[in-house]
Amino acid sequence: YKGEVYGLLGPNGAGKTTLMRMLMGLYNSSGDIIIDGRKIRNEEDVVKDSLGLIIQDDFFDGKMSLEQIGSFYGELYSAFDMRLYLEYLERFMLDKTQKYKNLSKGMKIKAQFAFALSHDAKMFLFDEPTAGLDKDFREEFLEICADIVSDGERSIIISTNITEDIDRIADYILYMQDKKM
C-alpha cells in the first residue's frame, strides 16, 4: 500500500534479509514478486528503477569517491538527480571526494540513503538501515522516512532488530520467524 511504512521484524536467521533481497531483485524466487503491479521477473529494469535501497553489504564500488558513485550509478536510474544527491551528501556531512571503501559502516549507510533519496523512488527497501548510525542521525533518518511517505505515493519497508525505531514510525509490523511471515 502506498503512503505507509512497514516494519519487518524477527530474530536473526528468520529470513528478513533474504526476503528483502528477493524484493530488491537480488535473489531469485520460485514465485512471482510483484511491486507496484509489475513482476520483477518480467520488468526488472522498470521495477528496480522505482526502488530506493539500503543494504547491509557494500553496495557501491569501494574504489570510487562518493561523487563518482553518483555519476556512475546514477546513470542506471531514469530520474537520478546528481544535484540532489550532492545536497544530501552535504546534509549528511559526507565528503563527496572520499572513497566509499574508507567510510565507516554508518557513513556507508548515509551514502546509500543519499543515493536512494535522489532518484524519485516509489518503494524504499531498507535492510538494517539504522545499524551503525549515531542517535542524532537515527532521528533524522526517521524524520526523513516520515516525510517520504507523507505524500501518500511512496512506501517503505524497514527490516531491523531495533524495535524502538519501528515502534515510532511503522504503520504495520510484519514478523518473520523460521522463514515464515
Side-chain angles (χ1 to χ4, degrees):
Y1 294 95
K2 293 179 179 180
E4 297 176 325
V5 177
Y6 297 85
L8 180 59
L9 301 175
N12 290 336
K16 298 183 305 291
T17 294
T18 300
L19 174 61
M20 292 294 278
R21 288 172 188 239
M22 289 169 62
L23 293 172
M24 293 173 188
L26 301 175
Y27 288 174
N28 289 328
S29 168
S30 59
D32 287 327
I33 296 175
I34 300 170
I35 296 179
D36 201 22
R38 300 175 186 273
K39 290 183 185 179
I40 289 181
R41 185 176 315 194
N42 298 344
E43 300 181 75
E44 184 175 359
D45 290 345
V46 175
V47 172
K48 285 185 176 180
D49 192 52
S50 70
L51 298 178
L53 311 174
I54 295 177
I55 65 174
Q56 295 177 28
D57 299 329
D58 285 346
F59 191 61
F60 299 118
D61 183 337
K63 296 176 197 148
M64 291 183 172
S65 71
L66 295 180
E67 187 170 27
Q68 289 170 325
I69 284 169
S71 295
F72 181 78
Y73 291 96
E75 290 292 320
L76 302 174
Y77 293 87
S78 62
F80 182 75
D81 184 338
M82 184 67 164
R83 179 196 51 77
L84 184 59
Y85 171 66
L86 294 173
E87 285 176 13
Y88 276 115
L89 291 179
E90 187 174 327
R91 176 178 174 177
F92 299 162
M93 293 184 270
L94 296 171
D95 178 355
K96 66 183 180 182
T97 65
Q98 194 164 15
K99 301 276 188 223
Y100 187 75
K101 69 179 177 182
N102 295 333
L103 300 177
S104 68
K105 181 178 181 178
M107 292 168 80
K108 286 178 179 177
I109 289 170
K110 288 180 181 183
Q112 289 181 41
F113 193 38
F115 190 86
L117 293 169
S118 300
H119 63 83
D120 196 32
K122 301 297 180 215
M123 169 67 77
F124 293 84
L125 303 173
F126 299 151
D127 191 18
E128 297 290 345
T130 56
L133 297 179
D134 62 63
K135 184 176 172 40
D136 290 337
F137 192 77
R138 273 179 49 208
E139 290 294 321
E140 184 174 2
F141 176 84
L142 295 174
E143 287 173 17
I144 292 170
C145 286
D147 287 344
I148 287 170
V149 299
S150 67
D151 66 2
E153 292 298 315
R154 299 179 289 177
S155 300
I156 302 171
I157 299 176
I158 300 175
S159 170
T160 186
N161 286 322
I162 304 174
T163 56
E164 61 265 20
D165 290 347
I166 295 301
D167 288 345
R168 293 184 43 215
I169 194 166
D171 297 300
Y172 296 95
I173 303 291
L174 309 169
Y175 186 77
M176 287 192 77
Q177 186 168 346
D178 299 324
K179 298 173 181 48
K180 294 179 183 161
M181 193 70 63

